[in-house]
């Protein structure tokens, strides 16, 4: 099973990346034998992957990184780089390859201090003699300083360095950066493609796979999580009941509080899983005995880790709220489809009774206003409005219709 098998519904992009990986492999082979490099190459030093949420931008970039690091002997026999089984592919895919560095937003932004070491590493030769790959998963979250650091590195890259930037759209990246990248656009996979992937790769029952693929409208990661995580299904069921609980002011405010509390609990669970181990590992690396005091001059390092963990908790809470807002938008989209007599397939067939009831008791105009209120909540969260205030404003608007 090759690295390209994880790219659901992205055959055209897979073909382009596979061709570039073959040319990259030919370049490395020629350099190792002192032969002249290929004259024409589809490989370049910087790539920009864009597409809607759930299309698989990060997965495509990581699959390409794995293909660039592939060391399968089949390549010499005409095999395509990216076998998925060799040490190079495996370590790149799981995130432990020495020459694949990943940068992701911990908080609302990628700070320049988060990029400094990575940019410095991009100018060094790869440890295994193939490629130094820098994968930036949330390029739209680069702030001014960190974006300028990336720009300088992309302008004059080392000969064997490849930058892979992922963002929702090309407009989310500085023009000076995107003009130096080869742009690949991923599309939202079809519901059928996602359902087939869940059956084939995860062993999910076809009926369940079809249901969660329809519910997430082609969002691969969310579909996989809904199919495999009972807690995620329970949270979604709770969110879909929210429109029925905002009939009075008290119900609207309680629903908002519960939604924010559930997101905070998600962040807390992640923190409990990761923060303690990270802190203990850091203290051990700094030479502190178990339960003992830190060596002099190392308190600042621990403080930096604590700041990063705090930003991650905030980001996790926001991501959880984003999922809830997407589910609510999907619910009211189905209501609007019923009100307008549209023939499009409903996403939330498991809540069809509630959809029909709300469609009969309201108008298309009020449904549109409710969808706008959900979008306004997302924009308020983007502006760092306190989550409870933003969600309360939304639930009150849902009540008013």
């Amino acid at each position: 099973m090759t690295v390209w098998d994880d790219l659901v519904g992205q055959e055209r992009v897979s073909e382009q990346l596979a061709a570039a990986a073959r040319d990259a492999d030919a370049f490395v082979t020629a350099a190792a034998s002192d032969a002249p490099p290929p004259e024409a190459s589809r490989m370049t030093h910087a790539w920009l992957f864009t597409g809607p949420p759930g299309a698989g931008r990060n997965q495509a970039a990581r699959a390409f990184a794995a293909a660039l690091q592939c060391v399968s002997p089949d390549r010499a026999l005409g095999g395509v780089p990216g076998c998925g089984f060799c040490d190079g592919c495996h370590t790149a895919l799981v995130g432990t390859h020495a020459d694949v560095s990943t940068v992701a937003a911990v908080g609302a932004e990628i700070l320049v201090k988060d990029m400094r070491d990575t940019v410095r590493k991009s100018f060094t030769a790869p440890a295994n003699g193939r490629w130094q790959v820098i994968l930036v998963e949330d390029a739209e979250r680069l702030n001014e300083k960190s974006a300028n650091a990336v720009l300088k590195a992309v302008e004059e890259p080392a000969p064997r360095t490849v930058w892979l930037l992922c963002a929702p759209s090309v407009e989310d990246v500085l023009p000076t950066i995107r003009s130096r990248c080869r742009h690949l656009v991923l599309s939202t996979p079809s519901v059928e493609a996602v359902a087939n992937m869940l059956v084939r790769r995860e062993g999910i029952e076809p009926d369940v796979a079809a249901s969660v693929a329809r519910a997430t409208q082609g969002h691969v990661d969310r579909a996989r999580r809904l199919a495999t995580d009972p807690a995620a299904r329970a949270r979604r069921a709770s969110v879909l009941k929210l429109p029925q609980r905002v009939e009075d002011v008290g119900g609207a405010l309680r629903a908002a509080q519960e939604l924010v509390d559930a997101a905070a609990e998600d962040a807390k669970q992640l923190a409990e899983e990761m923060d303690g181990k990270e802190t203990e590992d850091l203290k051990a690396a700094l030479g502190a005995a178990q339960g003992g005091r830190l060596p002099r001059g190392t308190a600042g390092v621990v403080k930096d880790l604590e700041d990063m963990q705090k930003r991650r908790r905030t980001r996790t809470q926001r991501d959880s709220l984003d999922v809830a807002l997407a589910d609510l938008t999907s619910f009211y989209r189905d209501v609007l489809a019923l009100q307008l007599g549209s023939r499009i397939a409903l996403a939330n067939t498991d809540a069809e009774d509630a959809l029909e009831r709300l469609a009969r008791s309201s108008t298309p105009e009020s449904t549109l206003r409710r969808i706008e209120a959900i979008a306004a909540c997302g924009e308020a969260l983007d502006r760092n409005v306190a989550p409870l205030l933003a969600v309360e404003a939304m639930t009150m608007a849902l009540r008013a219709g």
Side-chain angles (χ1 to χ4, degrees), residues 12-13 15-24 39-51 57 60-61 64 68 154 162-167 169-170 173-186:
R12 179 181 55 83
V13 170
E15 291 173 2
Q16 290 177 276
L17 293 175
R22 284 195 296 270
D23 288 350
E39 292 184 4
S41 176
R42 286 157 290 193
M43 182 60 184
T44 188
H45 72 285
W47 298 75
L48 175 60
F49 298 80
T50 66
R57 301 185 300 262
F64 187 38
L68 293 177
V154 172
V162 182
W163 284 84
L164 310 177
L165 309 179
C166 304
S169 71
V170 69
V173 180
L174 281 179
T176 47
I177 292 179
R178 68 189 189 225
S179 65
R180 290 164 172 81
C181 298
R182 184 166 298 167
H183 184 201
L184 293 178
V185 182
L186 284 76

Side-chain angles (χ1 to χ4, degrees), residues 46-114:
W47 298 75
L48 175 60
F49 298 80
T50 66
R57 301 185 300 262
N58 296 341
Q59 290 88 339
R62 190 163 292 282
F64 187 38
L68 293 177
Q69 306 295 6
C70 183
V71 293
S72 168
D74 292 343
R75 294 173 4 264
L77 302 175
V80 177
C83 66
F85 295 102
C86 70
D87 185 65
C89 285
H90 175 72
T91 53
L93 290 173
V94 301
T96 59
H97 197 289
D99 292 328
V100 179
S101 302
T102 303
V103 179
V106 176
E109 296 179 325
I110 298 178
L111 306 179
V112 68
K113 67 178 183 180
D114 298 329

Side-chain angles (χ1 to χ4, degrees), residues 333-344 346 359 364:
R333 166 194 166 278
D334 283 349
V335 172
L336 186 62
L338 290 173
Q339 290 172 328
L340 297 179
S342 171
R343 295 184 179 181
I344 64 172
L346 298 181

Side-chain angles (χ1 to χ4, degrees), residues 55-345:
R57 301 185 300 262
N58 296 341
Q59 290 88 339
R62 190 163 292 282
F64 187 38
L68 293 177
Q69 306 295 6
C70 183
V71 293
S72 168
D74 292 343
R75 294 173 4 264
L77 302 175
V80 177
C83 66
F85 295 102
C86 70
D87 185 65
C89 285
H90 175 72
T91 53
L93 290 173
V94 301
T96 59
H97 197 289
D99 292 328
V100 179
S101 302
T102 303
V103 179
V106 176
E109 296 179 325
I110 298 178
L111 306 179
V112 68
K113 67 178 183 180
D114 298 329
M115 289 299 310
R116 192 174 292 121
D117 289 342
T118 303
V119 168
R120 189 180 301 116
K121 185 179 180 182
S122 74
F123 291 106
T124 64
N128 70 353
R130 296 192 65 78
W131 298 93
Q132 187 75 261
V133 181
I134 311 297
L135 169 56
V136 183
E137 291 189 343
D138 305 288
E140 77 278 10
R141 294 179 184 267
L142 291 165
N143 64 19
E144 183 179 358
K145 291 182 178 179
S146 57
N148 286 333
V150 170
L151 174 60
K152 292 177 182 177
V154 172
E155 281 180 324
E156 300 177 359
R160 291 283 189 86
T161 294
V162 182
W163 284 84
L164 310 177
L165 309 179
C166 304
S169 71
V170 69
E171 289 78 15
D172 290 316
V173 180
L174 281 179
T176 47
I177 292 179
R178 68 189 189 225
S179 65
R180 290 164 172 81
C181 298
R182 184 166 298 167
H183 184 201
L184 293 178
V185 182
L186 284 76
S187 58
T188 300
S190 68
V191 169
E192 292 76 14
V194 175
N196 289 337
M197 179 275 296
L198 292 173
V199 173
R200 188 180 71 254
R201 299 298 300 273
E202 306 292 340
I204 305 300
E205 289 294 326
D207 289 348
V208 176
S211 176
V212 298
R214 199 165 44 242
T216 56
Q217 292 296 287
H219 194 299
V220 178
D221 288 339
R222 289 188 57 212
R224 182 183 285 112
R225 188 175 182 188
L226 273 182
T228 59
D229 184 0
R233 293 196 292 273
R235 281 192 294 272
R236 175 178 172 273
S238 177
V239 169
L240 294 185
K241 291 178 182 177
L242 187 145
Q244 306 167 57
R245 301 177 54 204
V246 295
E247 296 178 355
D248 57 72
V249 173
L253 296 179
R254 283 192 298 273
Q257 183 70 64
E258 290 173 11
L259 198 60
V260 173
D261 287 347
E265 183 62 27
D266 275 353
K268 180 182 176 183
Q269 288 179 2
L270 178 66
E272 289 175 348
E273 293 172 4
M274 302 181 67
D275 291 3
K277 185 177 185 303
E278 286 177 343
T279 302
E280 290 303 318
D281 288 348
L282 178 61
K283 288 181 177 179
L286 293 174
Q290 188 170 5
R293 297 178 61 182
L294 286 167
R296 187 183 300 274
T298 59
V301 180
V302 177
K303 179 65 165 58
D304 287 343
L305 176 62
E306 292 171 348
D307 290 342
M308 183 276 290
Q309 291 170 341
K310 183 178 180 181
R311 284 190 289 140
R312 184 171 61 201
R313 284 194 293 272
T314 301
R315 171 77 187 275
T316 303
Q317 182 178 12
R318 171 62 205 275
D319 287 347
S320 181
L321 286 174
D322 281 344
V323 171
L325 296 183
D327 286 335
L328 281 174
T329 301
S330 172
F331 180 92
Y332 283 110
R333 166 194 166 278
D334 283 349
V335 172
L336 186 62
L338 290 173
Q339 290 172 328
L340 297 179
S342 171
R343 295 184 179 181
I344 64 172

